[in-house]
Amino acid sequence: MAKRSAYLHVGLDDRSGDILEPALQRHAHALSALGVHAPAASTDEMFRAAIEILRSHRTWGYRRKEVEGAWAGICRRGQRGTGTLVFSQPLLAEATTDQIELLLDGLRGFKRHVVITVAAPDTWTPGDLDLGPLLDRWITAVGRPDRVHVIVSPPVRRPATTWKAFGKVVGFGTASLSLDGVEVSTVARPPRLVSTERHAALRDLGRRWAGQIVSRDVDVRGDLADLVPAVAPAPDPVSLIAPTDEALAEALRAVERLERRNRTLETRVGELEQPRRRWGRSA
């Protein structure tokens, strides 16, 4: 019997592939009819699986028991079915070698593919973000460079283009799988005021990324030239103030929501433990 295939989208922290996970959830039933299955029950479940693998649950305000077994549960669900499996969680892109091994261990017996979405570096991109070692980790993990697929996002972000490219990699068409109603919840990243030298460095970084991708002989979808940012016009500091202030306000609100969630969970845990302590004293 031929092996089933599993495609894991890990993205990068550049918003280039954020549309894929909610699109997979939105069209789960239609994809299933095509023999393509997204075994994660929700984007939240896949998120918990990712922070379980990365051991970053505390950073995100979760307790270990809230994430433990999330990835194993998703994999068991996928193992029971037939056809191709698809997963998406951009947080996993920079997983360590050991974390990748643990992640892919749940997909033993499958032809394992990794899809990495990437866009040209921008003013939010760390200057030392190197694609070479990242690609090497995933190539080593799946065993073959042709099972690592890089989707290059065009300069003007077009989610439908990324969605279509992902479908071609996996083997399904997206013409009838519209992105209408598919929402991506993210905090806005406004343009940042940086020096001319910083913009030049970003262009050099984009060229280096393109070279690193070519040298690894991976499957590429899109134009590698799009990884080199356009020459930036002279910035207008005044126009940057409003979006920056709005983004900061939204980030602070997100932090407040996370703090409230932590307090609620701690209170709930305390309430659950009280009857247990009373029962222990009366026993």
Side-chain angles (χ1 to χ4, degrees), residues 260-275:
R260 285 198 297 271
R261 182 185 184 283
N262 286 342
R263 290 195 296 270
T264 300
L265 288 173
E266 289 171 357
T267 300
R268 179 58 178 158
V269 169
E271 292 172 349
L272 292 173
E273 289 179 346
Q274 284 179 1

Side-chain angles (χ1 to χ4, degrees), residues 106-134:
L107 299 173
R108 281 177 296 173
F110 286 81
K111 292 180 181 177
R112 298 170 297 188
H113 296 251
V114 173
V115 181
I116 300 172
T117 48
V118 60
D122 61 21
T123 54
W124 290 90
T125 303
D128 60 351
L129 179 56
D130 211 358
L131 271 187
L134 184 150

